[in-house]
Amino acid sequence: MDCIFCKIANKEIKSEIIFEDDEIMIFKDVNPVAPLHLLAIPKKHVESILEIDKLEDDLTVKILKAISDIAKEMNMDKEGFRVVTNTGEGAGQSVKHLHFHILGGRKFNWPPG
Ligand code: 5GP
Ligand code: ZN
């Protein structure tokens, strides 16, 4: 399958990896929109959060806990940070492999653009 995040997960494409285990990877976004901009993915290919049922419940929880741990490790918890999963074209999803943006290091507006 021609999926850029599957290729990042299996190291066919290089990325700046922040955390990895057998099921999860967290790496730096190549085109950051905040001083801290990471992407958390399951290594298993699912298209978006709409396919979350294709992941084991344990894995879903593990991804969210990894995001929480990384946010604390990188001191994002002090000033606040944002976790986003764009879903579908209307929300600007450009890579069709489930990913959670972890954004920190600046102020974020609400509602988002
Ligand atoms: P989306 O637009 O689907 O919500 O987010 C996709 C994100 O993936 C974008 O922020 C984009 O910068 C990032 N991205 C796309 N290709 C690559 C790549 O090859 N390496 C890394 N590290 N990030 C990528
Ligand atoms: Zn994929």
Side-chain angles (χ1 to χ4, degrees):
M1 189 196 310
D2 200 26
C3 169
I4 203 158
F5 286 178
C6 282
K7 288 179 179 168
I8 283 176
N10 69 27
K11 316 268 174 67
E12 271 179 70
I13 293 177
K14 259 192 82 174
S15 66
E16 283 192 67
I17 299 167
I18 302 294
F19 171 82
E20 178 182 18
D21 68 12
D22 52 336
E23 294 179 306
I24 295 175
M25 193 182 269
I26 301 180
F27 55 97
K28 289 190 182 175
D29 195 297
V30 78
N31 185 23
V33 298
L36 294 165
H37 187 170
L38 309 177
L39 298 168
I41 64 166
K43 290 188 172 178
K44 179 178 171 178
H45 182 92
V46 298
E47 195 165 296
S48 76
I49 200 165
L50 295 172
E51 295 189 345
I52 201 90
D53 281 350
K54 292 186 181 173
L55 301 180
E56 296 292 322
D57 289 351
D58 284 359
L59 175 53
T60 301
V61 171
K62 201 164 116 177
I63 294 168
L64 293 175
K65 286 189 173 173
I67 290 170
S68 172
D69 288 345
I70 285 288
K72 286 175 201 153
E73 271 170 37
M74 299 186 103
N75 294 316
M76 294 189 206
D77 53 328
K78 308 283 185 302
E79 299 293 330
F81 64 103
R82 191 167 286 179
V83 180
V84 174
T85 184
N86 297 322
T87 306
E89 272 176 34
Q93 183 179 7
S94 61
V95 177
K96 294 198 165 47
H97 180 131
L98 174 62
H99 52 284
F100 296 92
H101 295 262
I102 309 166
L103 299 154
R106 68 168 169 84
K107 186 116 178 58
F108 297 97
N109 295 325
W110 194 262

PDB file of all heavy atoms in Angstrom, residues 15 24 101:
ATOM      1  N   SER A  15      12.242   9.585   9.623  1.00  0.00           N
ATOM      2  CA  SER A  15      11.561  10.641  10.374  1.00  0.00           C
ATOM      3  C   SER A  15      12.316  10.835  11.681  1.00  0.00           C
ATOM      4  O   SER A  15      13.141  10.005  12.053  1.00  0.00           O
ATOM      5  CB  SER A  15      10.108  10.246  10.653  1.00  0.00           C
ATOM      6  OG  SER A  15      10.066   9.131  11.522  1.00  0.00           O
ATOM      7  N   ILE A  24       3.273   1.513  18.142  1.00  0.00           N
ATOM      8  CA  ILE A  24       3.037   2.966  18.112  1.00  0.00           C
ATOM      9  C   ILE A  24       4.298   3.687  17.662  1.00  0.00           C
ATOM     10  O   ILE A  24       5.409   3.241  17.971  1.00  0.00           O
ATOM     11  CB  ILE A  24       2.718   3.485  19.538  1.00  0.00           C
ATOM     12  CG1 ILE A  24       1.421   2.912  20.069  1.00  0.00           C
ATOM     13  CG2 ILE A  24       2.659   5.008  19.581  1.00  0.00           C
ATOM     14  CD1 ILE A  24       1.153   3.322  21.512  1.00  0.00           C
ATOM     15  N   HIS A 101      -2.228  14.848  15.829  1.00  0.00           N
ATOM     16  CA  HIS A 101      -1.271  15.953  15.950  1.00  0.00           C
ATOM     17  C   HIS A 101      -1.160  16.307  17.436  1.00  0.00           C
ATOM     18  O   HIS A 101      -2.184  16.422  18.126  1.00  0.00           O
ATOM     19  CB  HIS A 101      -1.780  17.199  15.226  1.00  0.00           C
ATOM     20  CG  HIS A 101      -1.910  17.057  13.747  1.00  0.00           C
ATOM     21  ND1 HIS A 101      -0.944  17.506  12.876  1.00  0.00           N
ATOM     22  CD2 HIS A 101      -2.889  16.529  12.974  1.00  0.00           C
ATOM     23  CE1 HIS A 101      -1.332  17.267  11.627  1.00  0.00           C
ATOM     24  NE2 HIS A 101      -2.504  16.674  11.652  1.00  0.00           N
TER      25      HIS A 101
END
